[in-house]
Amino acid sequence: MIKFSACNLGPIKEIDINLSKFNLISGKNATGKSFFVRLLYAIIATILEKENSKQNNEEKHLEKDLAKKIRWVFQQRDMSAIVNKITRDDLCTQITINNKTLLTFSVSRSAKRKIVLKQINNIKEIPYRNCLFIFLPSVLDIELALANYREYYKNNLGVSDIFWDALQAIRTVGIADEIELESVSKKIEKTIGGKFLYKAKQGVVFKEKEKEYDVKITASGIKIFGILQLLIERNLLTKDSLLVIEEPECNLHPAYIFKFVEILVELTKQGVYVIAVTHSGEIIRYIEYLVKTKKLLSSDICFALFKKENRLAFVKTGNDLTILTEMLEELTEEYFKLVFFKEAKELEH
C-alpha cells in the first residue's frame, strides 16, 4: 500500500491518504484536489523515469530531476508557488510503501527552483510500472500546435507535462503487436462505435466503420474514450500502471458517464491503479451502486473528500460509503439551498 502524506501543499493544510486500487476524489473548488494529484504525478513520473532509464539514483540527481518535473507539471518557475500561502510553514511531503519510507522532501516558502530531499530509500519498491495523467479531450484538437511548441521551445514553460507526457507517448509509440489490455480496448470500441487512430501526418482521427473523421469534428464526449484506447493499444496503459484522470465527466452524457466508469473499474480489475477526481453526482452514485452490489470491492477502494475550513483545506479518507454520502451532500448543497430552502421561505410567508 502506498501512503502519501503532505502538509502545506497549495490550499491543503494536511493530507494523509492510503492509495488503493481505485481511488475517488471529490470536493469543492479550490480545496487542493489538483495540487495533490499533480504533485503525486510529478513524484511518481520522476521516479519511474529514472528507473526505466537506469540512471544513477544518487540523491542529488533525483532532487534535481524532481524539482524540474514539479516546475513543468505546475508550470511555475518559482517553486514556492505550490506552498501554502496562509501558514508560515514549508511544504513537507512523504511517500511510504508498506510502512517503509520511500522518500521525504520539502519545499521552502522562499524556494526558487529547489526542493530539499531529506530521505530516499529503495525507490525500486514502487509498485507502478508507469504513470499516466489523462489530459483534457480538447487537447487532441491542438495536438500539432502543442507538439510544435514543446519541440521547438524546449526550455519554455507554457505546456504542462500533464498534457504533454501522454500525448508525446501516443505520437511516438506505435500500436503493440500484442495488446495487454486488448479486451478493454475492444469494449471501448464497442461503446463508441469505432476507434481512434494516430497518423503521423494527419494526427488523431476517429474511424467509424469505413469512414474516418478528423478529431476536431469528432464529438468531445467520445474523445476521452479515444485517449484511453490510444494508450492501451500502445501498451502505454498496462497492468500495474497508475492512471490519473481529472473530471472524466466533462462533455459526457450521463449514460456515457456510467460506461466510462465501467471502463475504469474494468481497468482496475485487470491490474491498473486508478485515481479519478470528480464533481459528478452521477459518478458518485454509480460508484455507490457498484460497491453495494459488490462489483467493486471495499478492500480495493479509497474515497477522499477535500474540505475547506477557515481558508485551509483538509482531507477525509477511507473506504466507508458515508464519505460518498458527504461528497453528494457537498455537490447538491447549493441546489437544495436554491430550490428547497427558497420554497420553504416562500411557504412561511
Side-chain angles (χ1 to χ4, degrees):
M1 179 178 289
I2 289 189
K3 180 179 179 181
F4 176 95
S5 304
C7 59
N8 304 313
L9 168 62
I12 302 171
K13 174 58 181 173
E14 187 175 0
I15 178 173
D16 195 349
I17 181 171
N18 292 314
L19 295 170
S20 191
K21 294 179 181 178
F22 187 93
N23 306 274
L24 187 69
I25 296 170
S26 189
K28 293 183 178 179
N29 291 332
T31 53
K33 302 183 298 298
S34 291
F35 270 88
F36 160 60
V37 293
R38 295 182 186 204
L39 180 61
L40 179 69
Y41 173 75
I43 296 169
I44 301 300
T46 301
I47 291 172
L48 292 175
E49 185 177 346
K50 291 186 72 64
E51 281 298 294
N52 294 336
S53 61
K54 303 187 185 305
Q55 294 179 20
N56 189 330
N57 287 322
E58 292 180 11
E59 286 189 20
K60 62 180 181 180
H61 294 142
L62 183 61
E63 187 175 81
K64 181 179 178 181
D65 290 347
L66 182 54
K68 181 181 179 181
K69 191 65 174 180
I70 291 173
R71 286 200 308 274
W72 277 95
V73 165
F74 285 93
Q75 294 289 288
Q76 300 294 322
R77 294 193 181 281
D78 187 343
M79 194 70 69
S80 66
I82 68 171
V83 183
N84 193 296
K85 296 296 185 291
I86 300 174
T87 69
R88 294 184 175 274
D89 301 315
D90 295 342
L91 161 64
C92 296
T93 306
Q94 184 178 69
I95 290 184
T96 60
I97 298 179
N98 298 325
N99 297 319
K100 297 178 182 178
T101 301
L102 183 71
L103 63 82
T104 304
F105 71 88
S106 65
V107 179
S108 169
R109 287 173 53 84
S110 59
K112 292 299 180 184
R113 293 195 172 194
K114 280 192 67 177
I115 69 166
V116 178
L117 192 58
K118 295 183 176 181
Q119 184 177 1
I120 176 174
N121 291 318
N122 189 1
I123 61 177
K124 293 181 180 179
E125 292 187 12
I126 199 160
Y128 308 130
R129 188 191 303 183
N130 60 351
C131 182
L132 296 158
F133 200 114
I134 298 299
F135 48 82
L136 294 170
S138 57
V139 171
L140 290 178
D141 296 350
I142 54 173
E143 168 256 333
L144 184 59
L146 294 182
N148 285 337
Y149 185 87
R150 282 296 297 250
E151 289 168 0
Y152 286 103
Y153 302 98
K154 296 182 183 296
N155 298 319
N156 287 11
L157 297 179
V159 179
S160 173
D161 276 3
I162 65 168
F163 301 132
W164 177 241
D165 288 350
L167 184 61
Q168 183 185 35
I170 290 171
R171 287 170 52 85
T172 56
V173 178
I175 296 176
D177 293 330
E178 294 184 15
I179 300 169
E180 187 173 315
L181 302 177
E182 188 173 13
S183 62
V184 182
S185 179
K186 288 182 177 179
K187 186 172 183 178
I188 292 173
E189 184 175 349
K190 183 178 179 181
T191 299
I192 61 178
K195 64 186 302 180
F196 282 75
L197 307 170
Y198 181 78
K199 299 187 175 183
K201 295 183 179 180
Q202 191 176 351
V204 180
V205 299
F206 176 62
K207 185 175 182 180
E208 185 180 31
K209 294 183 179 178
E210 300 305 317
K211 294 184 178 181
E212 292 184 356
Y213 303 91
D214 188 286
V215 72
K216 300 177 189 64
I217 57 172
T218 303
S220 297
I222 65 170
K223 289 175 186 174
I224 188 71
F225 289 93
I227 295 168
L228 281 182
Q229 186 183 57
L230 289 165
L231 293 170
I232 290 170
E233 291 186 343
R234 285 156 176 75
N235 279 345
L236 296 166
L237 181 58
T238 60
K239 178 184 176 182
D240 295 328
S241 293
L242 173 62
L243 177 68
V244 183
I245 182 167
E246 286 191 287
E247 301 181 32
E249 65 270 15
C250 289
N251 300 309
L252 285 176
H253 183 278
Y256 271 83
I257 289 177
F258 295 157
K259 290 182 183 297
F260 193 80
V261 172
E262 288 174 0
I263 295 293
L264 294 182
V265 172
E266 181 60 30
L267 286 171
T268 301
K269 290 178 179 178
Q270 296 206 28
V272 177
Y273 298 85
V274 174
I275 300 176
V277 182
T278 185
H279 290 122
S280 168
E282 284 86 359
I283 285 181
I284 293 171
R285 289 188 184 94
Y286 195 49
I287 293 297
E288 181 181 36
Y289 161 77
L290 292 175
V291 173
K292 287 182 175 179
T293 55
K294 301 189 183 303
K295 294 177 181 178
L296 186 58
L297 300 179
S298 296
S299 57
D300 292 338
I301 56 179
C302 173
F303 304 130
L305 175 59
F306 286 58
K307 302 186 73 170
K308 232 176 188 179
E309 298 175 12
N310 299 321
R311 300 173 65 199
L312 292 172
F314 298 86
V315 186
K316 183 176 182 179
T317 68
N319 61 358
D320 196 306
L321 288 178
T322 57
I323 298 179
L324 285 185
T325 301
E326 288 188 52
M327 288 181 181
L328 277 174
E329 287 175 353
E330 290 227 345
L331 287 171
T332 56
E333 180 183 0
E334 297 306 316
Y335 172 76
F336 279 93
K337 284 181 180 178
L338 179 66
V339 178
F340 292 98
F341 292 171
K342 184 178 179 181
E343 286 182 356
K345 287 183 178 180
E346 288 175 351
L347 289 172
E348 289 177 0
H349 296 289

